[in-house]
Amino acid sequence: MSDAPATPAPSSPADGQAVLHLFFALTPLADADAVSEAVTSAESDGYQVVPVAVLGHKADIGFMALGADQWRLRRLQTELVSAGLELVDSYVSLTEISEYAQGVPDQMKQARLFPQLPPEGKPAFCFYPMSKRRTVEGNWYTLPYEERMELMMEHGKSGRTFAGRVLQVVTGSTGVDDFEWGVTLFAQKPDDLKEVVYTMRYDKASAVYADFGTFITGMTGTLAEVLDAVGLR
């Protein structure tokens, strides 16, 4: 009988990439070398791993990982926990092309399905989940498609005014996590994060029809920079 570990069949989306946000607290057992090894191993397998130094009490360090196979993302999670980090929050999603963006050029579709992260010159980071509202006063899913499309075009126009300052990565999570989308923002400055969210909340698609989850904020950098910032050397 072979002692080789079992290799499961890939759990991969038909289009795009699997995405996993992991947020950890440090423990006395945290091992910087083991954390580095887990991240570099995933990167050597062709996965993108964005390290984040988290601000505030919600976590100490975070990672946004993207790649083809959810099994490989699960292995990264396992290795980071084994490195002495305590998992305190997470989010599972998939890159996608919105039903309201089917007509965009192929280059834009590829950028949404296969984003190259982190973007250069945008160290300010924010992640939050969101869903469209289903209430008597405002149920997004009872609106005609044409009206939803018009509202999303208005919403997208607001977002495009921040081109060059903020990169928005919206990933789908209906059926795979508690909200319907995960929103990851990369910005030049932290007040860019505040301004883009504030501005877009005035759009009807957001003001009337959106519910938001917890915001987690920090800074992206090299793995060495992030480990040093959180006290792992």
Side-chain angles (χ1 to χ4, degrees), residues 51-225:
V52 180
V54 178
L55 291 165
H57 73 284
K58 297 168 188 170
D60 294 310
I61 190 170
F63 300 92
M64 178 184 183
L66 307 87
D69 188 359
Q70 289 181 320
W71 282 109
R72 186 61 184 87
L73 295 180
R74 173 63 232 204
R75 179 178 150 197
L76 172 64
Q77 177 181 330
T78 299
E79 291 174 349
L80 290 170
V81 171
S82 296
L85 300 179
E86 178 187 356
L87 185 60
V88 294
D89 204 351
S90 66
Y91 204 79
V92 179
S93 60
L94 306 168
T95 62
E96 67 172 13
I97 304 297
S98 165
E99 64 181 301
Y100 311 107
Q102 295 300 315
V104 303
D106 286 344
Q107 184 177 2
M108 293 179 65
K109 289 182 178 180
Q110 289 301 303
R112 297 181 187 194
L113 291 174
F114 302 98
Q116 298 302 303
L117 302 175
E120 186 176 356
K122 295 180 176 62
F125 171 93
C126 176
F127 171 78
Y128 61 93
M130 65 161 293
S131 292
K132 289 301 186 186
R133 191 168 294 157
R134 296 178 181 83
T135 64
V136 174
E137 296 81 11
N139 189 331
W140 177 259
Y141 293 98
T142 62
L143 297 178
Y145 175 81
E146 293 75 15
E147 184 175 353
R148 287 184 279 122
M149 171 67 88
E150 182 179 349
L151 292 174
M152 290 306 296
M153 291 301 100
E154 176 196 34
H155 198 49
K157 183 178 180 180
S158 294
R160 287 191 294 275
T161 64
F162 292 88
R165 293 168 57 193
V166 179
L167 175 66
Q168 304 175 59
V169 181
V170 181
T171 51
S173 51
T174 302
V176 296
D177 216 316
D178 295 340
F179 286 77
E180 295 171 339
W181 293 275
V183 181
T184 309
L185 304 177
F186 299 89
Q188 292 179 340
K189 300 181 183 301
D191 42 339
D192 292 331
L193 299 174
K194 180 172 68 72
E195 187 176 347
V196 68
V197 174
Y198 180 81
T199 299
M200 296 183 74
R201 281 192 174 186
Y202 279 95
D203 299 335
K204 188 175 180 180
S206 181
V208 177
Y209 295 108
D211 288 319
F212 297 84
T214 299
F215 283 66
I216 296 179
T217 304
M219 298 77 62
T220 64
T222 66
L223 181 58
E225 289 169 341

